[in-house]
Structures are given as structure tokens and as C-alpha cells.
Amino acid sequence: MSTTIDVYPTTATFTLVEQTRARTEELFNELLRRHGLESVVTVHAYVMRDGATVPVPEGMVWAIDTHLVFEYAVDGDPRACSWPSCRARDDEDIDEDTGNWFVIDELRGRVDESRLEAADVVGHHWYE
């Protein structure tokens, strides 16, 4: 399940990593409840510092070139990881025919148009 569209902001304002971590955890637990599962997913956020993976410092804000590790534990047992990052958009990300960020046309009709417009004017994108 990709949580990207519902987790990461579509504005130029960078949020706290903790907000992203908490929203990711919330969405996974909502998914489990919808399917009648009582397990609990806990998401832990880590960042690389001096070659080591350490917990994200309190108050850390996303920025371009932020690369994290999200560890997913089910009922306290670590099960998986993802590697979310924030990247600057460049010319390779623009569709030559439409002038839009290349994912905009792919998502049109599936995502609210106002969200697409907001995402298209931001100079960065999220990758997970």
C-alpha cells in the first residue's frame, strides 16, 4: 500500500518528520481496522548521521535531500522498512508535451484537481 498521496504535503511548506511518521502510522492502522485485524503497526523514523542510523531528532523538519528510514513494526516485531526522501524537481521531471510535472497527467482523474495543481507548482517531490 502506498501512503504517499495521503501522507506528504502538496505545498511548499516543509513539515516536521514526526507529522509524516505519525500520519503513516495512522493510515496503516486504519487499514488494519478496515480489514478486521487487531494488530498494531508502529512506525519508527531514522536518519543517517556519521555513517550510523539514529532516531530522527525531535523537531527535525523535512528539507530537500532529506533521506530517512521508516521501520515498520507489527505488534512490536520489526517487519519492514521504507526509505522516504525529499528531492528537488529538475527538468527531467517535466513532461515536454504538457509542461506539467510528469506525474500530474498520470494522476489526473484519480486525484482531486486542486491537489494536483498544488503539487505541480512545488519545486520538490517525495520519493518512497
Side-chain angles (χ1 to χ4, degrees), residues 64-82:
I64 290 175
D65 292 330
T66 298
H67 304 277
L68 302 178
V69 176
F70 277 4
E71 176 190 78
Y72 303 89
V74 178
D75 296 330
D77 182 23
R79 296 289 182 97
C81 291
S82 66

Side-chain angles (χ1 to χ4, degrees), residues 5-118:
I5 198 69
D6 291 318
V7 171
Y8 299 99
T10 54
T11 66
T13 304
F14 288 109
T15 60
L16 292 170
V17 169
E18 172 56 22
Q19 289 174 298
T20 307
R21 185 214 60 78
R23 179 70 175 138
T24 301
E25 187 175 280
E26 175 185 18
L27 287 172
F28 277 111
N29 283 303
E30 284 177 9
L31 177 69
L32 293 176
R33 298 296 89 70
R34 280 197 310 266
H35 290 278
L37 300 172
E38 295 181 15
S39 292
V40 175
V41 172
T42 306
V43 179
H44 302 278
Y46 299 94
V47 64
M48 293 296 291
R49 293 277 191 254
D50 301 321
T53 305
V54 298
V56 166
E58 186 175 333
M60 182 176 175
V61 175
W62 281 99
I64 290 175
D65 292 330
T66 298
H67 304 277
L68 302 178
V69 176
F70 277 4
E71 176 190 78
Y72 303 89
V74 178
D75 296 330
D77 182 23
R79 296 289 182 97
C81 291
S82 66
W83 297 269
S85 60
C86 180
R87 300 176 179 184
R89 286 189 6 204
D90 57 32
D91 291 342
E92 293 176 11
D93 297 324
I94 304 300
D95 183 300
E96 292 179 12
D97 296 327
T98 65
N100 295 330
W101 181 30
F102 74 94
V103 299
I104 298 299
D105 294 325
E106 293 176 22
L107 295 173
R108 193 158 272 123
R110 292 185 273 170
V111 175
D112 180 68
E113 195 65 31
S114 64
R115 289 182 84 178
L116 292 177
E117 290 172 7

